[in-house]
Amino acid sequence: KQEVTQIPAALSVPEGENLVLNCSFTDSAIYNLQWFRQDPGKGLTSLLLIQSSQREQTSGRLNASLDKSSGRSTLYIAASQPGDSATYLCAAVRPGTYKYIFGTGTRLKVLA
Amino acid sequence: SQTIHQWPATLVQPVGSPLSLECTVEGTSNPNLYWYRQAAGRGLQLLFYSVGIGQISSEVPQNLSASRPQDRQFILSSKKLLLSDSGFYLCAWGQTGFEQYFGPGTRLTVT
């Protein structure tokens, strides 16, 4: 059974720092991995999807990587800004299936 | 482009009252549709998903039900709300095994 873990649960950094958020999964079989951002009281916003055949995806200051052998995905945020403050969630989905398995998220605060 | 709508945005209902939350998707056809609940300080809980009209899969036994009367419409219902039904309800759509997109959510408070 796939389980997704995100550590740390909360993170506070000064503005301008580069940071890494971690997502671990127990089943290293073929999965796509999606990263989301959630602002307080809002829905989830899709950031990046890494397909199981890919190793990384980039969008602006965000870079997500996938290492199936170690069961890890990381979200790298370059030059963090106060506007990056939010909860970041990752979710794994097996290609050809319907269910997404979510981590519990990392609450990020970027201090001005 | 695709858009997903949810309403109402907020709802306060007494215990024992009925519930109907609606979700509609625009700009895509035959999407997979999902209802999630997010309780305060907790992760996302998948409640129902649907891969087609009239096809509903339930993930958690409870007093909630879902229906999909049209291709891009997904409804979450209850005949009698419980205090434990309070939470943030999120609708999402996706194509099988690929990206999932979420609506703005409905904040439900049962009093």
Side-chain angles (χ1 to χ4, degrees):
Chain A
K1 178 184 174 184
Q2 178 71 285
E3 293 183 2
V4 180
T5 306
Q6 292 185 251
I7 295 174
L11 183 63
S12 186
V13 300
E15 181 178 8
E17 270 203 12
N18 302 323
L19 57 98
V20 174
L21 305 180
N22 295 299
C23 174
S24 300
F25 41 95
T26 54
D27 184 354
S28 60
I30 299 173
Y31 279 85
N32 295 337
L33 203 294
Q34 188 172 3
W35 282 93
F36 296 88
R37 165 191 175 133
Q38 185 177 29
D39 294 289
K42 305 292 185 181
L44 278 66
T45 299
S46 177
L47 297 174
L48 291 163
L49 172 77
I50 310 175
Q51 297 188 38
S52 59
S53 58
Q54 299 173 321
R55 292 185 67 94
E56 64 178 76
Q57 282 285 344
T58 298
S59 176
R61 294 183 294 110
L62 306 179
N63 176 277
S65 65
L66 177 63
D67 183 346
K68 290 182 292 182
S69 62
S70 65
R72 286 185 65 187
S73 177
T74 59
L75 180 67
Y76 175 83
I77 303 177
S80 59
Q81 303 170 358
D84 294 329
S85 298
T87 297
Y88 290 81
L89 297 102
C90 64
V93 59
R94 200 175 184 110
T97 67
Y98 312 111
K99 290 170 60 175
Y100 296 73
I101 303 163
F102 279 83
T104 51
T106 293
R107 191 169 64 254
L108 172 67
K109 188 168 186 177
V110 181
L111 305 171
Chain B
S1 65
Q2 301 85 12
T3 309
I4 179 168
H5 303 278
Q6 283 187 250
W7 65 91
T10 60
L11 193 58
V12 180
Q13 293 281 94
V15 169
S17 64
L19 173 73
S20 181
L21 303 181
E22 191 163 341
C23 170
T24 59
V25 180
E26 297 177 357
T28 187
S29 59
N30 197 30
N32 298 329
L33 296 173
Y34 303 80
W35 279 112
Y36 291 89
R37 178 170 59 203
Q38 190 174 39
R42 299 179 65 180
L44 280 168
Q45 180 185 34
L46 178 62
L47 302 175
F48 301 94
Y49 68 93
S50 170
V51 301
I53 295 173
Q55 300 179 62
I56 308 294
S57 296
S58 174
E59 288 295 301
V60 182
Q62 59 215 327
N63 67 320
L64 298 173
S65 62
S67 62
R68 184 171 177 172
Q70 299 180 47
D71 182 44
R72 289 169 289 176
Q73 183 185 30
F74 206 21
I75 297 172
L76 183 70
S77 304
S78 175
K79 292 182 180 178
K80 289 186 178 181
L81 284 168
L82 306 172
L83 284 174
S84 59
D85 292 324
S86 293
F88 192 47
Y89 287 82
L90 289 158
C91 180
W93 77 271
Q95 299 295 346
T96 303
F98 289 93
E99 286 187 83
Q100 193 171 55
Y101 299 95
F102 283 77
T106 294
R107 174 75 57 193
L108 172 65
T109 303
V110 182
T111 60

